[in-house]
Amino acid sequence: MASVRICVCGDEGTGKSSLITSVVKDTFVTTRIQPVLPQVTLPPSIGTPGNVTTTTVDTSALPQERAKLNKEIRKSNVILLIYSDHYSYERVGLFWMPHFRSLGVNVPVVLCANKSDLSASSSTAQIIQDEMLPLMAEFKEIDSCIRTSAREHHNIIEMVFLCQKAVIDPIAPLFDSKESTLKPAAISALQRVFYLCDQDQDGHLSDEEINAFQIKCFGRPLGDDDLDDIKQKVGMLSTESVTDLGMTEQGFLLLNKVFAEKNRHDTIWAILRTFHYTDSLSLKENFLHPDFKVPPNSSAELSPSGYRFFVDLFLLFDKDNDGGLNDSELSALFAPTPGLPPAWVDSSFPSSTVRNEAGHITLAGWLSQWSMQTFTEPKVTLEYLAYLGFESSDPRLSTTTALKVTKARKRRKRPGRVERNVVLAYILGAPSSGKSSLLDAFLSRPFSSTYHPTIKPRTAVNSVELPGGKQCYLILEELGELEPAILENKSKLDACDILIYAYDSSDPDSFSHITSLRSKYSHLEDVPALYVALKADNDKTTQRSEIQPDDYTTALGMNKPLHVSVTWSSISELFVQIAEAAVFPSLALPKSEEAVDRTNLYIALGAVVCAGAAFVAIWRRVGKVE
């Protein structure tokens, strides 16, 4: 429940206490009222809209009460400043507003011209024009103004409502009254709202899209006459604001500017809060970053609804239907976000995934990239799902329905499939052994004989079809100069599903790097691994190592190295074997006596024991009968 604390200020005799009493009693009190009323709390039931509890604090303008006045001003979140005649009006600009500024408070002020019954000769419009607007132009803290009469009970409830509105629906973050323009943060938020409501992304809100927006924000559609009236009025402001296709973004911003100018900023706030904005015009923290935890040995993946959302998004923004997103299409897609995720920038996206001949990311690459992002940083995926407008089929649920947590991977040596559809492989090996070329081949990039040493980690992600037709996403990562740091990091190794020990079969010094790594980091034995002899199109040479690769792997009880070349068309089979070994980790671990699955042996022994027990029981029973 929202709460508002009103500090009622003004010169003596302006009717402050009478106004407060009229609010509480709902009538004018003719008996004498004490000079300063005690604090009064108004429950939400008192005729004001909204579920708001309001506390009104009466004050005195006497010099000896100045310390108490200042204390109450600082505690309030809105000031109701009252004047009732020419003298008290002059004091608003000469004393009260400068005094508020001297206290350093940053709260809205509602200006109230009281005792309107004593100046019946002056119209409200004239009072606003001659008295209130000049003050509002000089002091931007003045949020709104109103003319009241406690005796006639005129605009009493409306006065309280304006105070509530100044706190609950502040105009200051939205509108610059001096420049008569929406503020940049408000424009940015409303542009995102327009983006999310423009469901076909044609740059216009059609009648159907406007009504869907109206129902989402206010719970009811517009009538045909109301809709035509709005478009007509907006169209009169700018010829480019409404076209035959509907209302443009410019028209949508103009409409909200009119709301602000007509003191209907509560309508703007209703729109923004529907789309999860806070009073500071940032998206709510629990909307951007909902609670989502990944237990140890588990991983995060996109759920079917998450994949469906990203597929629809890709197809919606592929305007030229060429099967790829070019720079302008990507820019339009990420318009309501802070830009590309930081990890994408670091990995030189889109070079980290599948592209078409023009260099634009394909649908397969798009889904691969988001699969990798979710695997490595699920909270970033949730953040971008919020920016891009993902909505769960159940409105009570958050963006977390677009993700799922895999079953914990407890014992890698146990036979069977790991319940993961996204797996990570680290490629280890000596410099110039062909690791980077392997990543290029994984993404179907042409082979280059030019050597470029890898300094920082480099990743590549693509989909792989496993035997049986099931698809998974494989992330290959070359560690670069961070290899020692990553191999010493337990959490990094726990996230890895398989290690690829790669060496150049034509370089006699290449394999020794692998044996040195395994000797230095003995815990690598616990991680599934494949050994790959690259550059098999060159002449094979004897390795300058204590033991040759085939003998080394045989001694470990593992498969011999796979001899491949990135120039061979069969290289794709290697990636299938890597992915298969990652989802069936027991196949890529050293075979030892301890690793033998004795399940069948235990079952057989159990059957023998049970049979023996049954035989003994029958023998005893027969003995008793005899």
Side-chain angles (χ1 to χ4, degrees):
M1 181 186 295
S3 60
V4 173
R5 186 179 181 88
I6 306 172
C7 183
V8 184
C9 300
D11 287 351
E12 297 299 305
T14 54
K16 301 188 298 293
S17 300
S18 295
L19 282 173
I20 296 173
T21 305
S22 293
V23 172
V24 176
K25 301 290 187 181
D26 201 27
T27 186
F28 179 65
V29 177
T30 56
T31 57
R32 182 176 176 81
I33 303 173
Q34 62 192 90
V36 179
L37 294 174
Q39 177 178 304
V40 177
T41 299
L42 309 174
S45 57
I46 297 234
T48 56
N51 192 24
V52 180
T53 298
T54 305
T55 301
T56 59
V57 180
D58 196 6
T59 61
S60 171
L62 297 176
Q64 59 268 31
E65 299 291 335
R66 192 61 46 82
K68 187 175 181 180
L69 169 69
N70 295 345
K71 179 181 178 182
E72 292 299 340
I73 289 172
R74 289 191 175 99
K75 288 169 62 178
S76 68
N77 47 23
V78 61
I79 297 171
L80 178 61
L81 179 57
I82 299 171
Y83 71 92
S84 60
D85 54 25
H86 181 72
Y87 174 76
S88 57
Y89 167 74
E90 291 292 332
R91 289 259 298 166
V92 169
L94 294 175
F95 169 74
W96 285 107
M97 294 306 300
H99 182 66
F100 298 153
R101 287 182 174 180
S102 71
L103 295 176
V105 294
N106 183 27
V107 296
V109 176
V110 175
L111 186 62
C112 175
N114 194 26
K115 301 185 180 181
S116 62
D117 54 294
L118 298 181
S119 55
S121 58
S122 300
S123 66
T124 299
Q126 184 179 353
I127 294 294
I128 292 174
Q129 184 67 35
D130 296 344
E131 298 179 1
M132 296 177 171
L133 289 182
L135 285 173
M136 293 182 73
E138 182 178 357
F139 301 100
K140 298 307 175 185
E141 305 93 319
I142 300 178
D143 181 270
S144 55
C145 54
I146 192 170
R147 197 180 185 206
T148 63
S149 169
R151 182 180 298 276
E152 296 180 349
H153 206 70
H154 174 62
N155 278 345
I156 300 301
I157 297 300
E158 289 78 3
M159 173 192 71
V160 177
F161 173 58
L162 284 180
C163 292
Q164 293 175 339
K165 187 177 175 183
V167 176
I168 306 302
D169 301 317
I171 186 66
L174 303 176
F175 191 68
D176 186 335
S177 55
K178 183 177 181 179
E179 301 293 333
S180 191
T181 58
L182 292 170
K183 290 188 174 179
I187 291 174
S188 178
L190 290 169
Q191 284 174 330
R192 175 177 171 272
V193 171
F194 181 90
Y195 167 99
L196 297 179
C197 294
D198 183 13
Q199 297 174 0
D200 57 6
Q201 288 299 316
D202 66 346
H204 297 78
L205 293 184
S206 65
D207 291 356
E208 292 78 12
E209 289 170 338
I210 291 176
N211 266 319
F213 159 79
Q214 177 75 13
I215 292 170
K216 182 180 178 70
C217 295
F218 305 104
R220 61 183 185 276
L222 288 168
D224 291 341
D225 292 341
D226 294 332
L227 183 55
D228 291 339
D229 184 54
I230 289 174
K231 291 196 293 184
Q232 182 181 359
K233 289 181 177 178
V234 172
M236 292 172 63
L237 298 174
S238 170
T239 56
E240 298 178 353
S241 59
V242 178
T243 71
D244 293 339
L245 295 175
M247 186 182 297
T248 64
E249 181 184 282
Q250 180 186 357
F252 183 70
L253 294 176
L254 279 174
L255 177 61
N256 283 278
K257 177 175 177 286
V258 171
F259 288 150
E261 290 172 336
K262 294 189 174 181
N263 206 28
R264 289 180 56 193
H265 41 283
D266 54 318
T267 302
I268 304 176
W269 279 116
I271 294 169
L272 295 175
R273 286 174 181 141
T274 299
F275 287 87
H276 308 284
Y277 282 93
T278 65
D279 289 352
S280 60
L281 294 178
S282 61
L283 286 170
K284 292 179 180 177
E285 178 64 20
N286 62 356
F287 174 65
L288 278 180
H289 305 116
D291 185 37
F292 185 82
K293 296 179 180 177
V294 181
N297 300 315
S298 295
S299 63
E301 297 178 3
L302 289 172
S303 68
S305 62
Y307 277 115
R308 192 181 313 115
F309 174 77
F310 283 117
V311 168
D312 292 343
L313 204 61
F314 182 96
L315 297 176
L316 183 61
F317 281 89
D318 183 17
K319 296 298 184 182
D320 53 12
N321 295 317
D322 66 344
L325 295 179
N326 57 40
D327 291 345
S328 62
E329 290 168 341
L330 276 173
S331 178
L333 191 155
F334 281 101
T337 74
L340 292 176
W344 295 29
V345 177
D346 292 341
S347 63
S348 302
F349 172 85
S351 65
S352 56
T353 190
V354 186
R355 298 180 293 184
N356 60 18
E357 294 179 356
H360 305 149
I361 185 170
T362 63
L363 177 58
W366 175 252
L367 296 180
S368 297
Q369 188 74 25
W370 280 112
S371 297
M372 178 170 66
Q373 178 65 68
T374 306
F375 180 88
T376 55
E377 296 176 301
K379 290 186 179 298
V380 174
T381 298
L382 288 171
E383 182 180 341
Y384 276 77
L385 284 166
Y387 282 127
L388 294 168
F390 174 84
E391 291 184 349
S392 171
S393 56
D394 186 344
R396 295 172 299 177
L397 301 177
S398 68
T399 52
T400 55
T401 57
L403 272 59
K404 66 177 183 178
V405 176
T406 63
K407 187 178 179 180
R409 181 192 60 197
K410 295 182 179 178
R411 291 181 57 188
R412 301 194 204 228
K413 293 185 179 182
R414 179 180 295 171
R417 191 184 195 282
V418 173
E419 297 300 322
R420 293 189 176 193
N421 296 314
V422 183
V423 291
L424 170 64
Y426 289 155
I427 303 179
L428 309 178
S432 190
S433 58
K435 302 185 297 296
S436 297
S437 295
L438 191 63
L439 264 65
D440 289 335
F442 184 46
L443 300 177
S444 301
R445 306 279 161 77
F447 170 71
S448 172
S449 59
T450 306
Y451 174 63
H452 298 285
T454 301
I455 308 300
K456 66 177 184 177
R458 179 191 169 197
T459 57
V461 59
N462 199 352
S463 59
V464 175
E465 186 175 322
L466 299 174
K470 188 173 179 64
Q471 179 179 278
C472 80
Y473 290 96
L474 173 61
I475 305 167
L476 295 182
E477 183 167 353
E478 183 185 2
L479 306 183
E481 293 184 351
L482 291 183
E483 184 178 273
I486 292 175
L487 295 182
E488 291 173 354
N489 188 319
K490 184 179 183 302
S491 63
K492 290 284 188 182
L493 275 181
D494 286 344
C496 175
D497 293 282
I498 188 166
L499 296 173
I500 309 301
Y501 294 110
Y503 68 97
D504 179 355
S505 60
S506 63
D507 180 358
D509 297 315
S510 189
F511 189 73
S512 60
H513 179 85
I514 293 174
T515 57
S516 297
L517 274 183
R518 288 180 56 84
S519 297
K520 184 176 181 181
Y521 305 104
S522 58
H523 54 276
L524 296 182
E525 295 179 358
D526 299 327
V527 184
L530 284 181
Y531 290 79
V532 179
L534 297 174
K535 305 185 183 181
D537 54 324
N538 296 334
D539 292 335
K540 181 181 176 180
T541 187
T542 301
Q543 294 293 314
R544 295 193 186 104
S545 176
E546 294 181 2
I547 186 170
Q548 293 303 300
D550 287 8
D551 298 332
Y552 184 85
T553 52
T554 301
L556 290 174
M558 299 187 69
N559 294 326
K560 294 180 180 180
L562 301 169
H563 288 259
V564 297
S565 169
V566 297
T567 61
W568 294 348
S569 59
S570 60
I571 188 66
S572 59
E573 297 175 9
L574 171 64
F575 306 122
V576 175
Q577 292 188 56
I578 294 173
E580 188 175 15
V583 296
F584 292 96
S586 63
L587 301 178
L589 285 167
K591 303 296 185 298
S592 63
E593 188 176 342
E594 291 76 11
V596 175
D597 185 9
R598 294 186 171 83
T599 303
N600 293 333
L601 176 62
Y602 295 150
I603 292 173
L605 287 175
V608 170
V609 171
C610 290
F615 175 77
V616 171
I618 294 172
W619 179 77
R620 288 179 176 176
R621 188 172 182 182
V622 172
K624 288 181 180 180
V625 172
E626 291 179 350

